Each structure stands twice: as structure tokens, then as C-alpha cells.
Amino acid sequence: MLGSAARVESVLAREFMVARMSKSNPGNFFEDFRLGQVIQHATPRTITVGDVALYGALYGPRFAVQSSDEFARALGYPRAPVDDLVVFHVVFGKTVPDISLNAVANLGYAECRFLKPVYPGDTLTASSEVIGLKENSSRKTGTVYVRSRGRNQNRQDVLEYVRWVMVRKRDETAPAPSEAVPELHDAVEAAALGGACPILNIGAYDPALAGSAARLYDYPAGERIDHVDGMTVEEAEHQLATRLYQNTARVHFNLFTEAQGRFGKRLIYGGHVISLARALSFNGLANAFHVAGINAGRHVAPLFAGETVFAWSQVLARADLPGRTDVGAMRLRTVATKDKPCAEFPDKSGKDYDPAVILDLDYWVLMPR
Amino acid sequence: MLGSAARVESVLAREFMVARMSKSNPGNFFEDFRLGQVIQHATPRTITVGDVALYGALYGPRFAVQSSDEFARALGYPRAPVDDLVVFHVVFGKTVPDISLNAVANLGYAECRFLKPVYPGDTLTASSEVIGLKENSSRKTGTVYVRSRGRNQNRQDVLEYVRWVMVRKRDETAPAPSEAVPELHDAVEAAALGGACPILNIGAYDPALAGSAARLYDYPAGERIDHVDGMTVEEAEHQLATRLYQNTARVHFNLFTEAQGRFGKRLIYGGHVISLARALSFNGLANAFHVAGINAGRHVAPLFAGETVFAWSQVLARADLPGRTDVGAMRLRTVATKDKPCAEFPDKSGKDYDPAVILDLDYWVLMPR
Amino acid sequence: MLGSAARVESVLAREFMVARMSKSNPGNFFEDFRLGQVIQHATPRTITVGDVALYGALYGPRFAVQSSDEFARALGYPRAPVDDLVVFHVVFGKTVPDISLNAVANLGYAECRFLKPVYPGDTLTASSEVIGLKENSSRKTGTVYVRSRGRNQNRQDVLEYVRWVMVRKRDETAPAPSEAVPELHDAVEAAALGGACPILNIGAYDPALAGSAARLYDYPAGERIDHVDGMTVEEAEHQLATRLYQNTARVHFNLFTEAQGRFGKRLIYGGHVISLARALSFNGLANAFHVAGINAGRHVAPLFAGETVFAWSQVLARADLPGRTDVGAMRLRTVATKDKPCAEFPDKSGKDYDPAVILDLDYWVLMPR
């Protein structure tokens, strides 16, 4: 313990420092990150049925497990779990003020697993560990790799994922850190999936209420599914969504600034596209009720208000989950487009995407076997 | 029970069939319907206070019974019931993927009764029985009549109604079914109303809190009421509402397709107009706290974003409800217009409506006697 | 008690009167108000987590106390309290049909105190006392001063404030009332603050989760803080918000009428600006978790959809609260602008404001000491 005089000086020094600090948050620049650094993010958030209803109004998802307490209970859940992507967006939103306030681009995701179900009333916090740093040759930006975790009020991890972002440097002359690029798995192993899905009484799974009789192995590997419907996005919608997630990234909200920026308009949060594509995918994948993991995701092109999102999916693989027979895992690739219906499955050839493609997502869902 | 080999063949046959099926839902075409067919619709839905809040933000209703748990409890409800029209839209939304995905027009409603109160936490499912079929002389479409029911988690019917839609045929040469047009009542009998309104301790009904001293018999039959206020609708609003109801009808959401369609823009769900008119009707009918039945409804003209909805009502009749003295029934005709205030009560003459009229709704409400 | 015949006549007279009354609400005109009059407003309202979620989606506030039940409980709240401004807007909305339906302008606020915390499940009602009247020399309008109170279901006052509005006269020749202008305090005394903030276990206040280490006395008196971020407002957003508050004022909703009006478009509810500024102020004032009182507020210029709101604040004073050491009070002046970032702190010189300024709010917040 400091002696009394030293403590007073320490308090005064802290006060002087805090008092002199600009009180607003400038965010971190590339040179502020350190390998191994762990950041506890701010803004703990209790998820409620209010959030569930808003998410429903924003995207119109129809998966029965999340829509109905009765349907979920019959299967063995205590009540309808919160949509997996709500959990993702809320956790992601907490990382933004510390990780991507000064980001140029969101480059990718990997190793995302949904670890525990989340129910209305649960409170989520988030933290991130810096697992990689690589300055760019321009010296103006660098890539920051973080592994982020969402945790509930019982200190259980409910979500983990890796993402990497290109972040601006404050000062181009600041020395570059030792380059460290993490080795990331191309995909989550099937055996590591399912923590957020309790063992289900799958005999109680009513296909008529669920909206489809198709089970996991009814989808041959390679099958492509056009999800048909299109959803036009409005400025108010994506702003409501992004604020719901307490995601503060300026490019989504500030037309005054963005009008002079790269696109001349507000950029829609990429996660909004993910949720739209997921909701559209119900048409053809109605029994893919749980997103268990995300292997990779690329926001191929930006989406702006007034554009119409379409989606298609391809079944990449089906897999049993060790030790359980209620559900199995389907590895899906879902591609979302803007202003282009997907009857012809617009895709990439070589490295070049069809210019209408806005999202390419590789993920695992669980379905009844 | 099938023998083991036969069962395996049956499973394989089913799997072959499901695997070869296009996984997305094409909806039913006119020739797919059979008289007497009963369809259990998908997507059970737990209604929550989240939905109640969103409905409030979408329409701004002020009826005290639904606004306040305290006001409702004082009358004898266990808590504030969910707005009757929320129940209607949610049930209606479940019928869309099976009944009206390929509809050309929603032609009418009849015999709608609210049978049991619905509270936050209740879970609704829906089913429909085909009660009429009539192919049109063009052979390209036909009218499908269904009686739909909403049911809660205790297997109690909470809502029933008849609607009929013009549905496209997949194949014009497909044989026409025997014509069957149901005889429908022009109006629900007053004696059949009130199942969704418990017997109330009407002495506890506080007119100051409710917003009006006017009781049922203060409205002479024939009285016309201009509801004065106008509400301009935005694209985001009607999309949020329609998705809240899990109503998937494409014309409401897909500007890319609709831009080439009949109107060149997204058509607003007719139920959104009904709810706007109902909320506007509070101004003049503040004590008409419960919609007990709908006799007929016509979406006379389409509504599009940017247009302003106004409404007026005419009292068609007042009626006691047998065996109860707390409330009575008022038969109302509410007409909604777009971009035309209703001081002059825009209406129809003969068969032709004032071109500003968008909705003509004939329904029963309950009011304190 | 009236004799039976007289009672029948009285009932008939009342019925005749009510029956002949126009059923819609014309609102009060200046000459309808009486000094000392107390008006019980209509529309009791139960606040729920649905409202909390919508408020979050509309403004994106990140104050930890309201965001997390766990954070709030650790401090000593039973659960996360409802945002103070939700309480304000809901109470305010109830006064509109009686006080400001025929208002020309909302002139000011004073003596606003948040008296008791409000939690999801609480039901609010509102009443107003007329404490001042002053006809204008034009004889076409007059200023009405009201002290309004919000009360919960336990008959406890949760909020009180004074506001004054310029209200139209129905009949310019109607006699002017005796002029009575109340003497209002420039500011709520610090000693009168804190009723809505229980004594907190402030040792449990986690600055990392809260988003800032800055405590009350880390902000020198006079410090100015640019809140940096901008939020562009959409028509749907302000309409959703204003309806959420059950605020019926027509100028916010009716483009058909407003297109011919003063501004040619819908005017955004001034309270929406207050909430935007409050949410933006988190950036720099993250630990100002509770709005305890409002001293004065001026809607300096109107805001319209498509415009971007920015904000800055100045610390006017810091004060201990008698008898408590957990939190103290900070008197803040927050200025909001449209389409003008606040790095230069746009302000007024003399009586003239920078034309970009839309709001000037003088209020008290509580912060950990």
C-alpha cells in the first residue's frame, strides 16, 4: 500500500492525467495494439424479448425454434433461445470501439463457434485478445487479428470467433511491430460444434410447424438452393439494427461525413447482410434452425440502402456430431447478392466475383437427422 | 406397421422424393387446392411485450386497456391483453406461404371473430380449411376461400376468419375444380361476440384515463366521425411491420422485382392500413377498446410509402351482448383514405369509390355501456 | 342525491350533450385554460423491455447501468432502470392531447426532476397543473405554463417538470385571462437531485465495463467535450419514436398537411433530438449514467429527416449531493447541431446562435465520485 502522501500524489497524478485526457474515445490505431494484449470491452448488455422482437421485425426470420417457446420446450430447450446471430452482432458491437473504430476494412472471420445457448434475460460482455499484427507495406495501415469472446452472466463463454481488420495508423513513421500472422483453421471441426444446442428430443420436432420435411441427409452434398425472395433495405432499418447491437461504427450512421467519403453514402453494416441472408435462407433450409459455427466470411462488396438482397446456398458437407443422434451438422456456403436474383447462382470464377455478390459466408448449421 | 424391408424402401423413397424436391417453397397454385383440405401452417409464434412495443411504435394506438396492465387489471383482465389486430396479423402471416404466395389479389374477409384474449407469452399457430374454389373464366386464376383459425398453446381457438384470394394457376390447361362458393354471413351476430373480452368490472373503467366519456349509446346509429389525424407511411415502417407478422408476401419487400411490376413500387400490406386506421380511430372512439369481430373488409386501392392515411367512421348499429351489461357492441364502418382528409367523409356512390379511398372495413368493437 | 326523475333527466341531458359533442378531440385553445386547473391526462402506459429495446435501436445509448441488469444489480439497483429520457418522453406524450395539440411552439422547460427510478413493468400516468397564462399582444396566441407530473402505479411521482408553450386561440376576441407568469428557478438545486438514483455500492462500478475511468471531479468546471459522432435521422425513425411515446402531435406525422405548412415537411419531435444528443454524449461522458434533472431546454432550430445530428457539452459545475458519497452531480450544457461537427463548439454569441445549433440543454447528471 502506498503511504498516505504518496497515495494523494498518485491520486492527483491520475486525476491530472484523466482530467487532461480528451474525454472522447479516439479508438485504437494500428500501432496501439500489442500481441497478446487482452481488451475487456465496455457495455454489458442484457438481451430481452424486446431485442428478439426487433430482430424479427428487421429480418423476418421464421425458424420455429427461436420463434416459439412451445416448439423449443417440446424439444428440450427451457424456452426459445435467442437467435444465434443476435448473439454474434451484440458481441461484435462491443468490440468496435476498441478494435475497429479506425478500421479501413473488415477483412475476414474464422473459427467462430456458438458455445452456449443464450436466452432472454442473459447478460453478455465481450473481450478480445490480439493474436496477430502485420503492418502493410504502405506503412499507412496494418492488419490486426483478434480472437473475441462473448460471455454470459455466469462467466460462461457463449461465443468465440476470430476476425481481422485493416486499421489505420496514427503516425506512419511509428515503428512496425514484429509480424505475427496466426494460423487459422479453414473450418471448425464438426466435432467441436453443438455446445449451444442442448441434446434434443428430436421426435418432438414437428415438420409441419417447422415448415419443411427435409432433414439433414435429404440435402445431397453439392446441392444448390436458390432462396428466391428478395429484401430491399432502407436506411432506417440498417441504422436501427446497428444501434440495437450497440455498434458505433461511424460509417453506418453519419451521412454528413460519408457524403464526402469513399462511397458518398452510408455503408450498411456487413452483419446486417449476414442476418438478411440467414433469414432469406429459411426458404429452402427451414430446418437449419441453429447456426453452430462460422468458418469464413467475406463482405465481397458493399450494400447500400435502396438495394435488394437475394441469396443462394450450396451444401458443402453433412456430418454427424459425435455422441449425438438428434441433430447433425451441415456445412453451408451462402452467397448474397444485391439487385440480382439467384436462380443462376451468381458466384465467382477464379478470384473474381460476379459484381452483384456482396457476401460469401461459409458456416455450419445444425439440422434434425 | 410396414415390414422392415418395406419400411426401408419407404424411407428411401421418401428420401429420394425429398432430396429431389426443390427445397424452396413455390407456394400453392389454384389447382393445388382441394375443397375440404386442411392445412396446418408453419411457424408457431410466441407473442411478447417486444411485439407489443413494436406495434405501438408502428401505429401509436392509445386504447388504455392494451396500453396499461394496471388499467386492464382494474377491469378484470389478468394484465393488458395484446392488441387484437396483432393477433390477426400474426395468424394471417402464417397463412401466406400456403394460401397467398401466388395470389393476384386479396378479395375479401368475412366471419372474423376474436374468440379468446391473447397475452404476452402466449404462442399462436394457424391452420386453414379450404371452403370454396371457383376458377375464373380466363382460366388463368381462381378464387380460393379459406376459413383460418389461430390457436394458442392450450389448443384454444383465439381467432377465426374467412378470406378469399385470387390465386394464379400454374397451368392454364389444368382442369377446373367443381365450383363451390361458400355462403357467408354479411355480419357476425352480436350474440356471437365477446369471447375475447372477459366480463369486466366496468365500474372501474376510468374515462379520464381512457381519454373519453363517451359510452356505447352516446353514439347514435348513423353518426359519422372524422378521425382528423393523418399518418404518412415510410417504406421501413411497413416492412418492419410485415416482417414482425412473419408475413412473407414478396410484393411488400422486393423493390427490384416490383419496379418491373404492376405498380413500379412495393405494395403496402393491407393489414398495415387496417392497423393505421384503427389507431387513428382512437380520436373519436377512444372507448372502443376491443375489436370483437370483422364482418367485411375491402382493400379498395393500394397504399404506397410517402402517402398519408386518414380515416373516418360511421356507426352502423349498437347492440347489447346477451347476458352481459359491462360492455356492448358497436358495428362500425371505417373508411381509410390516402392523401385526403376526411372532414367530408369521402365514400362511394353506387359501386364507385372516391379515388382516395383505400380501405372499407365493417367490424364490431366493444365499448362500455 | 337527485330524485329519480331528475336523475333520468340529468342522464338524458348528459347523453344529449355527449351525443351531440363532436367525438374527436380538438384539443384545448389558449382561452380554454384556467390558472390552477389540474388536468389528468389519458393513456396510462406500462413500460416494458420492449420499449427499452426500441429506445436502444432508435438512439444506441451505451450507458452500462441501463444496458445491463447485472451491472445495475451490482450497484444496488434491483435491475436495470429504464432510461430517464424514456420516462420523460412517455410522460410528455401524455400531456400533448390536452396541452399542445394547438401549440405553435414549445418555448421552454424548467424545474425538471427525476424523482424515482422506473423499471420495466411500471405503469405511468401523467397530470398537469396550469401555473401560468399570458396572452400575446397579437391576441392570436398565448403562452401556457404547466407543471406536469408522471406517476407510477404505486402513486409515487417519478418525474416533474415545467414547460411552457405558445398556444393558438380559437377566437381572437375571447377575453384575455389575468396575466400570470410563474417565477421559475434557473436551475434545480443539487440538494434536490438523486431521488431516482438509489444509494449505490459504488465500489462495484466497473470502469472497464462502463467504458471510461473518468469520474465526476475528473471533469474540470468549464471543460468542453466534443462528442464527435454524427447520427443522420430518417423519417421512419422519428415517427417510430414519437409514436412509441404515444405523442400525437400532428406536425411529426402528417406530410400531406405539413407539405403546405411552415416548413414543407414533417418536423421532428424535439425530444428525439434530446435523446440523440444524450446518446451521442456517451462518447466523452460515459459515466454520466443518470439524468437527474433538467434546468432549461431550448429547441433553437428545427430538425428534419436527412440531417445529421452532432453534439458537444460543457461542464458548468460539479456538486456533491448532501449525505451521499457514491455519486455527485455534474451540471452540463449540451448543444446539438445539424450538419455541423462540433470540434469548434458551435455556440451563440450574444443572443444569436450559430445557425447550425438545434438544441441547447442545461441539465444535471449523476456520476461516480
Side-chain angles (χ1 to χ4, degrees):
Chain A
M1 284 292 284
L2 296 176
S4 154
R7 198 159 70 240
V8 167
E9 278 185 23
S10 169
V11 164
L12 286 172
R14 185 192 75 81
E15 284 193 6
F16 182 86
M17 196 176 69
V18 177
R20 290 298 161 265
M21 273 170 28
S22 160
K23 297 297 194 301
S24 54
N25 174 26
N28 289 308
F29 290 88
F30 178 73
E31 59 266 46
D32 297 327
F33 293 97
R34 295 285 173 272
L35 198 65
Q37 177 185 12
V38 175
I39 302 171
Q40 172 65 54
H41 302 299
T43 317
R45 169 69 172 280
T46 303
I47 309 287
T48 72
V49 293
D51 302 312
V52 170
L54 254 161
Y55 189 83
L58 286 162
Y59 306 110
R62 288 179 284 152
F63 299 97
V65 169
Q66 291 81 12
S67 180
S68 162
D69 283 336
E70 300 290 315
F71 192 93
R73 275 193 210 109
L75 289 177
Y77 286 91
R79 61 184 291 188
V82 169
D83 194 292
D84 308 299
L85 294 178
V86 169
V87 177
F88 180 86
H89 298 313
V90 166
V91 170
F92 183 99
K94 288 170 196 338
T95 71
V96 166
D98 299 305
I99 305 299
S100 51
L101 217 50
N102 301 306
V104 174
N106 201 22
L107 298 175
Y109 307 96
E111 299 189 9
C112 172
R113 290 195 302 149
F114 292 84
L115 302 170
K116 282 264 181 287
V118 173
Y119 302 101
D122 284 348
T123 299
L124 303 183
T125 54
S127 63
S128 297
E129 177 185 357
V130 178
I131 63 170
L133 293 166
K134 178 177 184 302
E135 185 165 304
N136 291 332
S137 48
S138 71
R139 304 219 64 203
K140 298 185 180 188
T141 58
T143 300
V144 179
Y145 298 77
V146 292
R147 183 182 308 274
S148 298
R149 294 180 191 283
R151 182 166 284 196
N152 68 21
Q153 67 279 6
N154 299 321
R155 303 180 164 243
Q156 299 169 312
D157 287 349
V158 300
L159 170 73
E160 65 177 10
Y161 66 91
V162 173
R163 79 157 167 146
W164 52 108
V165 248
M166 190 180 306
V167 180
R168 277 191 295 273
K169 286 181 72 176
R170 182 188 297 103
D171 170 7
E172 292 178 30
T173 68
S178 309
E179 182 173 306
V181 176
E183 276 201 47
L184 299 167
H185 297 138
D186 285 341
V188 177
E189 286 187 17
L193 298 170
C197 180
I199 303 294
L200 301 180
N201 170 23
I202 209 65
Y205 192 97
D206 182 338
L209 289 181
S212 165
R215 291 168 172 255
L216 177 61
Y217 290 102
D218 290 323
Y219 292 84
E223 177 175 13
R224 291 187 303 183
I225 304 157
D226 174 15
H227 299 304
V228 183
D229 303 311
M231 190 76 69
T232 305
V233 186
E234 299 295 318
E235 298 283 12
E237 293 171 342
H238 76 84
Q239 295 199 145
L240 287 165
T242 310
R243 282 185 302 244
L244 180 70
Y245 310 139
Q246 292 167 315
N247 178 336
T248 59
R250 299 167 185 153
V251 293
H252 308 312
F253 300 113
N254 187 333
L255 175 59
F256 179 81
T257 301
E258 295 309 306
Q260 316 303 326
R262 190 173 14 156
F263 302 113
K265 33 194 176 175
R266 285 160 282 181
L267 173 68
I268 291 176
Y269 164 51
H272 192 69
V273 179
I274 293 175
S275 280
L276 281 167
R278 168 71 177 154
L280 290 171
S281 79
F282 178 87
N283 191 359
L285 287 164
N287 290 327
F289 68 92
H290 174 56
V291 177
I294 300 175
N295 303 313
R298 199 172 147 198
H299 298 298
V300 177
L303 177 73
F304 303 101
E307 297 176 331
T308 303
V309 178
F310 297 88
W312 65 274
S313 297
Q314 183 162 39
V315 177
L316 300 180
R318 302 88 42 88
D320 288 353
L321 299 184
R324 62 193 296 179
T325 55
D326 56 338
V327 295
M330 173 186 287
R331 186 172 175 183
L332 274 172
R333 177 170 175 246
T334 292
V335 172
T337 66
K338 62 183 182 181
D339 293 343
K340 186 160 187 168
C342 295
E344 309 293 316
F345 308 111
D347 204 338
K348 61 184 176 182
S349 55
K351 284 209 150 193
D352 297 320
Y353 280 93
D354 182 304
V357 171
I358 56 175
L359 172 74
D360 190 346
L361 194 71
D362 174 350
Y363 60 116
W364 288 104
V365 294
L366 302 189
M367 290 183 74
R369 278 178 48 176
Chain B
M1 284 290 287
L2 298 175
S4 152
R7 200 161 68 241
V8 167
E9 280 184 23
S10 170
V11 163
L12 287 173
R14 184 194 74 82
E15 284 192 7
F16 181 87
M17 197 174 70
V18 176
R20 290 296 161 267
M21 271 167 31
S22 161
K23 296 299 194 301
S24 54
N25 175 25
N28 288 306
F29 290 88
F30 178 72
E31 59 265 47
D32 297 327
F33 293 97
R34 296 284 174 272
L35 197 65
Q37 176 183 13
V38 175
I39 301 171
Q40 172 65 56
H41 302 301
T43 317
R45 169 70 172 282
T46 303
I47 308 288
T48 71
V49 293
D51 302 312
V52 169
L54 254 161
Y55 189 83
L58 285 163
Y59 306 110
R62 287 178 285 151
F63 299 97
V65 169
Q66 290 81 12
S67 180
S68 162
D69 284 335
E70 300 290 315
F71 192 92
R73 275 193 210 110
L75 288 177
Y77 286 91
R79 61 185 290 186
V82 169
D83 195 293
D84 309 298
L85 293 179
V86 170
V87 177
F88 180 85
H89 299 314
V90 166
V91 169
F92 183 99
K94 289 171 193 337
T95 72
V96 167
D98 299 306
I99 305 299
S100 51
L101 217 51
N102 301 306
V104 173
N106 200 23
L107 298 175
Y109 306 97
E111 300 189 8
C112 172
R113 290 196 300 151
F114 292 84
L115 302 171
K116 283 262 182 289
V118 173
Y119 301 101
D122 283 349
T123 299
L124 303 184
T125 55
S127 63
S128 297
E129 177 185 356
V130 178
I131 65 170
L133 293 166
K134 178 178 184 303
E135 185 165 303
N136 290 331
S137 47
S138 70
R139 303 221 63 204
K140 298 185 182 192
T141 58
T143 300
V144 179
Y145 297 77
V146 292
R147 184 183 305 277
S148 298
R149 294 180 191 284
R151 181 165 285 194
N152 67 20
Q153 66 279 7
N154 299 319
R155 303 179 165 244
Q156 298 169 313
D157 287 350
V158 300
L159 170 72
E160 65 176 11
Y161 66 91
V162 172
R163 77 158 167 146
W164 52 107
V165 247
M166 191 180 306
V167 181
R168 276 190 295 272
K169 286 181 73 175
R170 183 188 294 104
D171 170 6
E172 292 178 30
T173 69
S178 308
E179 181 172 308
V181 177
E183 275 200 47
L184 299 168
H185 298 137
D186 286 341
V188 178
E189 286 185 18
L193 298 170
C197 179
I199 303 294
L200 300 179
N201 170 24
I202 209 66
Y205 193 97
D206 181 340
L209 288 181
S212 166
R215 292 169 170 254
L216 177 62
Y217 291 101
D218 290 321
Y219 292 83
E223 178 176 11
R224 291 188 301 183
I225 305 156
D226 173 16
H227 299 305
V228 183
D229 302 310
M231 189 76 69
T232 306
V233 186
E234 298 295 319
E235 298 283 14
E237 293 170 342
H238 77 83
Q239 295 199 145
L240 287 166
T242 311
R243 283 184 300 245
L244 181 68
Y245 310 139
Q246 289 166 316
N247 179 336
T248 59
R250 295 164 189 157
V251 293
H252 308 313
F253 299 113
N254 187 333
L255 176 59
F256 179 82
T257 301
E258 295 309 305
Q260 315 304 324
R262 189 168 21 151
F263 301 114
K265 31 193 176 176
R266 284 160 282 181
L267 174 68
I268 292 176
Y269 165 49
H272 193 69
V273 179
I274 293 175
S275 279
L276 280 168
R278 169 70 177 154
L280 290 171
S281 78
F282 178 88
N283 190 358
L285 287 164
N287 290 327
F289 68 92
H290 173 56
V291 177
I294 300 174
N295 303 313
R298 199 172 147 199
H299 299 297
V300 178
L303 178 72
F304 302 102
E307 298 175 333
T308 303
V309 178
F310 297 87
W312 65 274
S313 297
Q314 183 163 39
V315 177
L316 300 180
R318 301 86 44 86
D320 288 354
L321 299 184
R324 63 193 295 179
T325 56
D326 53 339
V327 296
M330 173 185 288
R331 185 171 176 185
L332 273 171
R333 178 170 173 245
T334 294
V335 173
T337 66
K338 60 181 182 181
D339 292 343
K340 187 161 186 167
C342 294
E344 309 292 317
F345 309 111
D347 204 339
K348 61 184 176 182
S349 56
K351 283 211 149 192
D352 297 321
Y353 280 93
D354 183 305
V357 171
I358 56 174
L359 171 73
D360 190 346
L361 194 71
D362 173 351
Y363 60 117
W364 288 103
V365 294
L366 302 189
M367 289 183 74
R369 277 180 49 176
Chain C
M1 282 291 284
L2 298 175
S4 157
R7 199 157 70 239
V8 168
E9 278 184 24
S10 169
V11 164
L12 286 174
R14 185 193 74 82
E15 284 192 5
F16 182 87
M17 196 175 69
V18 177
R20 290 297 161 267
M21 273 168 27
S22 162
K23 297 299 195 300
S24 54
N25 174 27
N28 288 306
F29 291 88
F30 178 74
E31 58 265 47
D32 298 326
F33 293 96
R34 296 285 174 271
L35 197 66
Q37 178 183 14
V38 175
I39 302 171
Q40 172 65 56
H41 301 300
T43 316
R45 168 71 172 281
T46 302
I47 309 287
T48 72
V49 293
D51 302 313
V52 170
L54 254 161
Y55 189 83
L58 285 162
Y59 307 109
R62 288 179 282 150
F63 299 97
V65 169
Q66 291 81 13
S67 179
S68 163
D69 284 335
E70 300 289 316
F71 192 92
R73 275 193 210 110
L75 288 176
Y77 285 91
R79 62 184 291 185
V82 168
D83 195 293
D84 309 299
L85 293 178
V86 170
V87 176
F88 180 85
H89 298 314
V90 166
V91 170
F92 183 98
K94 288 170 195 339
T95 72
V96 167
D98 299 305
I99 305 300
S100 51
L101 216 52
N102 301 306
V104 173
N106 200 23
L107 298 175
Y109 307 95
E111 300 189 9
C112 172
R113 291 194 302 151
F114 291 85
L115 303 170
K116 284 262 182 289
V118 174
Y119 301 101
D122 284 350
T123 299
L124 303 183
T125 54
S127 63
S128 296
E129 177 186 355
V130 178
I131 63 171
L133 292 167
K134 179 179 182 303
E135 184 164 307
N136 291 333
S137 48
S138 70
R139 304 220 64 206
K140 298 185 181 190
T141 58
T143 300
V144 179
Y145 297 77
V146 292
R147 183 183 305 277
S148 298
R149 297 182 187 281
R151 179 165 287 194
N152 69 19
Q153 67 278 7
N154 298 319
R155 302 180 163 242
Q156 300 168 311
D157 286 349
V158 299
L159 170 72
E160 65 177 12
Y161 65 91
V162 173
R163 78 157 167 146
W164 53 107
V165 247
M166 191 181 305
V167 181
R168 277 190 295 271
K169 285 181 74 176
R170 182 188 294 104
D171 170 8
E172 292 177 30
T173 68
S178 307
E179 182 172 305
V181 178
E183 275 201 45
L184 299 167
H185 296 136
D186 285 341
V188 177
E189 286 185 16
L193 299 170
C197 180
I199 303 294
L200 301 179
N201 169 24
I202 209 65
Y205 192 97
D206 181 339
L209 289 180
S212 166
R215 293 170 170 252
L216 176 62
Y217 291 101
D218 290 323
Y219 292 84
E223 178 175 11
R224 292 189 300 183
I225 305 157
D226 173 17
H227 300 304
V228 183
D229 303 310
M231 189 76 67
T232 306
V233 186
E234 299 295 318
E235 299 283 14
E237 293 170 341
H238 77 83
Q239 295 199 146
L240 287 166
T242 311
R243 282 185 301 245
L244 180 69
Y245 310 138
Q246 291 168 315
N247 178 336
T248 60
R250 296 165 187 156
V251 293
H252 309 312
F253 299 113
N254 187 333
L255 176 59
F256 179 82
T257 301
E258 294 309 307
Q260 316 304 326
R262 188 169 22 151
F263 301 114
K265 32 194 176 173
R266 284 160 283 181
L267 173 69
I268 292 175
Y269 164 50
H272 193 70
V273 180
I274 293 175
S275 281
L276 280 168
R278 168 72 177 153
L280 290 171
S281 79
F282 178 87
N283 191 358
L285 287 163
N287 289 329
F289 67 92
H290 173 56
V291 177
I294 300 175
N295 304 312
R298 198 171 147 200
H299 298 297
V300 177
L303 178 72
F304 302 102
E307 297 175 333
T308 303
V309 177
F310 297 87
W312 64 275
S313 297
Q314 183 163 37
V315 178
L316 299 180
R318 300 89 42 86
D320 289 352
L321 300 183
R324 61 192 297 180
T325 56
D326 55 338
V327 296
M330 173 185 286
R331 184 172 177 184
L332 273 172
R333 177 170 174 246
T334 293
V335 172
T337 67
K338 61 182 182 181
D339 293 342
K340 187 160 187 168
C342 295
E344 308 293 316
F345 309 110
D347 204 339
K348 63 184 176 183
S349 56
K351 284 208 150 193
D352 297 321
Y353 280 94
D354 182 306
V357 171
I358 56 175
L359 171 73
D360 190 346
L361 194 71
D362 173 350
Y363 60 116
W364 287 103
V365 294
L366 301 190
M367 291 183 73
R369 277 179 48 177

